[in-house]
Amino acid sequence: MRFEETPLAGAYRVWPEPLSDERGFFARTACTDEFAAHGLVGQFAQSSVSFNARRGTVRGMHYSVEPHAETKLVRCTGGAIHDVLVDLRPDSPSYLKSFAATLTQDNRCALYIPAGFAHGFQALTDAAEVLYMIDRTYVPGSARGLRWNDPALDVAWPEPVTVIADRDLAYPDWTA
């Protein structure tokens, strides 16, 4: 695996390094030892999948608060998404800054999202599927969110929004 730092402190793009032959390829997508060598969480307690039927669907911006803040490894396994991270850690040098990447079934890139970040994405294709590896079990009472188009976050969504949950529409703007 190749770890590529993003402009947000502690967040990484994680690229598989396929070994190819006449059958196709094999690639490692997570390894406790390799993540630990980069100072990252590498053990995941939960795996979840999100299927998004329509292009333009937005999910987010979601995060969890301490003591249940989650670290995630997110990969697009079908179609394509515009994936967005926002650093909500007040002591971070990248506080309130965002980063976006296109994740696709073809590029197989994953985003490593540390605890203390908000996360969301927009489906760039119909039938976009997203796999989440999460370091702890979900605790509903710790779940929070920010409005997907909060001006303080300055997130540029590439497509018109076609589908968004009422819950995501009702989230408040960020206040420090």
Side-chain angles (χ1 to χ4, degrees):
M1 289 178 296
R2 181 169 50 88
F3 293 80
E4 179 184 308
E5 291 184 62
T6 72
L8 304 184
Y12 288 80
R13 288 188 210 206
V14 181
W15 298 91
E17 296 183 311
L19 300 172
S20 299
D21 63 22
E22 65 278 356
R23 299 168 294 173
F25 73 85
F26 179 86
R28 188 175 317 166
T29 58
C31 173
T32 302
D33 292 343
E34 288 190 47
F35 277 74
H38 287 84
L40 307 177
V41 171
Q43 292 186 334
F44 300 99
Q46 182 176 309
S47 178
S48 300
V49 67
S50 166
F51 178 79
N52 305 276
R54 290 184 51 206
R55 177 183 188 146
T57 298
V58 168
R59 291 183 186 252
M61 300 292 296
H62 304 144
Y63 65 100
S64 293
V65 294
E66 292 295 352
H68 305 289
E70 300 170 338
T71 295
K72 300 174 186 170
L73 184 66
V74 176
R75 174 182 318 281
C76 182
T77 56
I81 64 170
H82 176 79
D83 204 292
V84 178
L85 317 177
V86 177
D87 188 347
L88 300 179
R89 303 168 301 172
D91 297 333
S92 171
S94 53
Y95 177 63
L96 284 189
K97 298 213 182 320
S98 65
F99 173 78
T102 300
L103 306 182
T104 73
Q105 68 184 29
D106 295 329
N107 72 19
R108 296 180 179 88
C109 180
L111 284 179
Y112 177 88
I113 307 164
F117 277 63
H119 172 255
F121 66 85
Q122 183 173 47
L124 299 176
T125 62
D126 289 342
E129 185 175 280
V130 181
L131 174 68
Y132 293 76
M133 302 294 291
I134 307 163
D135 74 325
R136 61 191 63 219
T137 304
Y138 175 68
V139 176
S142 70
R144 304 285 189 280
L146 301 172
R147 195 162 50 86
W148 66 281
N149 60 353
D150 179 345
L153 305 182
D154 194 29
V155 173
W157 300 97
E159 305 265 339
V161 175
T162 57
V163 180
I164 189 167
D166 289 342
R167 176 184 77 152
D168 290 347
L169 288 171
Y171 281 135
D173 286 345
W174 178 254
T175 53

